[in-house]
Amino acid sequence: MRRRDVLRVAGSTSIVGLAGCASVFETPSASAPPMAGNRPDTVYHPTHYEGMKMAGMKQQDGYKCALTYSYPHRFWLMKPNGTTKVDIQSADSVHIMPVVWDAQTGIIPPDINPQLTITQNGESIDQFAPWPMLSQPMGFHFGDNAQLQGDGTHTVEVSIGGPSTRRTGSLAENQGNASFEFEFEFSESTLDEISYTDISDDKEGTRGAVDLMDMVMIPDSQVPTPDALPGDVRGSEMTGDARFVVTVLEDASRFGGDGEQKYLAVSPRTPYNRTMLPMMSLSVTLRRDGASVFDGILQSTINPELRYHYGTTVSDVQTGDELTITVDSPPQTARHEGYETAFVDMPEIQMTL
């Protein structure tokens, strides 16, 4: 059920606190506790969470890339009929996560689709495209379980493609491909040092979330708080346990409009941690005095101030206008435990601006 199967495609630096754990093939994650009973259809506290380590960091062509890893994870894929669980396989060695961000702004773009090639002693070990994922402690990232060939030095090449999401401002200048090569010294003893935290039985499965980890050298995937968004914030509402914040910018020229048009931006985020929710399809209807004045899709966009959001140009937005936001497709990201029941069934939102 890993991405390469579904699609048929062919010295570490500590980032978080350390704690002793079991061996690579008998990790706490490999024998992860049973799922919490009666999981709510919301964000909830998972049964456990883990830290991670960084194998290196490189910079090229306006991007920085950190290669990180942790214990193998169970996770869920989004399918047309809901989510599908991916269990840990006995041969899985690590959950490997290349984190790529724009060097100037620190924004993590969710559209660069990294490809990983792992070799050892000149021989190919694995080649795959990690899944775009949501995790409570990690936020948005790309990751997958990888099968290494025991201890030793591995070469990991991370290649990223050109962006598929509209970028504005200084981000529009960073449109190229890039590749990064890491020498990854893997050992069971180093993996054993990664922290592993059980959540108490009375807390797991209850509403809430684990805090984002402090990754020190790596930026996070949070979007701005409502009061930090540019423009005139007109309100926010929840659907599918995601919060949607709406703001209106007076000048739409930097978003493809003219100076007399306004820019209507919708900024979805997870509750508790404000992690961005990419890879959605959204449309809106704007009504004034009962008549429709705009009906169309929102375009996914990355902007230095708004960060990842969905937006459109409109002729005008007036106080009292009625806005309907329709989620045509929920976030098409894989989810780690605690997120797999949320952001799936997302009824339309109605707001008075």
Side-chain angles (χ1 to χ4, degrees), residues 239-242 244 277 280 326-327 329-331 342-348:
T239 182
D241 213 32
F244 285 52
L277 289 173
M280 305 174 73
T326 301
V327 180
S329 177
F343 327 132
V344 178
D345 181 18
M346 306 183 78
E348 68 179 23

Side-chain angles (χ1 to χ4, degrees), residues 25 91-94 118 120 125 146-150 154 184 186:
F25 296 114
D92 290 340
S93 306
V94 294
I118 304 175
Q120 186 179 29
I125 300 299
Q147 300 174 358
L148 306 180
Q149 303 298 311
H154 296 73
F184 172 31
F186 173 76

Side-chain angles (χ1 to χ4, degrees), residues 36-54:
N38 300 318
R39 292 171 293 158
D41 293 332
T42 61
V43 175
Y44 69 90
H45 290 102
T47 56
H48 64 285
Y49 61 94
E50 299 143 345
M52 68 179 189
K53 278 186 172 288
M54 183 169 68

Side-chain angles (χ1 to χ4, degrees), residues 118-335:
I118 304 175
T119 58
Q120 186 179 29
N121 299 323
E123 296 184 4
S124 177
I125 300 299
D126 213 345
Q127 185 175 10
F128 59 96
W131 297 98
M133 293 184 154
L134 293 173
S135 159
Q136 290 181 11
M138 183 73 177
F140 174 85
H141 65 284
F142 290 90
D144 201 353
N145 296 332
Q147 300 174 358
L148 306 180
Q149 303 298 311
D151 292 0
T153 302
H154 296 73
T155 300
V156 181
E157 181 182 1
V158 180
S159 300
I160 64 172
S164 58
T165 301
R166 178 175 66 171
R167 301 184 181 192
T168 64
S170 62
L171 288 163
E173 302 171 5
N174 200 356
Q175 297 284 333
N177 302 343
S179 63
F180 312 87
E181 187 172 292
F182 299 90
E183 291 295 318
F184 172 31
E185 190 67 33
F186 173 76
S187 69
E188 293 185 23
S189 60
T190 301
L191 186 73
D192 292 348
E193 295 175 342
I194 297 175
S195 63
Y196 179 97
T197 304
D198 278 310
I199 292 180
S200 61
D201 291 344
D202 61 343
K203 190 173 184 180
E204 67 178 38
T206 62
R207 289 194 61 135
V210 174
D211 291 338
L212 281 171
M213 67 175 70
D214 182 4
M215 295 185 286
V216 185
M217 294 175 286
I218 301 176
D220 61 48
S221 56
Q222 287 183 308
V223 293
T225 60
D227 59 1
L229 285 169
D232 181 13
V233 175
R234 296 297 187 96
S236 69
E237 293 289 346
M238 301 280 289
T239 182
D241 213 32
R243 180 164 293 281
F244 285 52
V245 183
V246 177
T247 186
V248 178
L249 282 70
E250 288 295 323
D251 184 356
S253 58
R254 50 188 171 135
F255 300 97
D258 59 45
E260 296 184 358
Q261 291 179 308
K262 296 184 179 181
Y263 186 67
L264 176 69
V266 177
S267 175
R269 69 275 313 277
T270 65
Y272 314 111
N273 288 340
R274 277 191 292 115
T275 296
M276 66 176 172
L277 289 173
M279 303 172 63
M280 305 174 73
S281 295
L282 302 181
S283 56
V284 296
T285 300
L286 188 67
R287 292 185 177 87
R288 185 175 305 137
D289 299 326
S292 175
V293 295
F294 179 85
D295 189 356
I297 64 170
L298 297 179
Q299 183 175 358
S300 57
T301 304
I302 310 177
N303 172 266
E305 291 79 35
L306 287 163
R307 301 179 77 89
Y308 191 95
H309 68 283
Y310 304 81
T312 186
T313 58
V314 293
S315 59
D316 191 21
V317 178
Q318 298 181 10
T319 300
D321 285 354
E322 297 290 333
L323 181 70
T324 300
I325 305 172
T326 301
V327 180
D328 301 302
S329 177
Q332 297 301 295
T333 61
R335 291 98 183 281

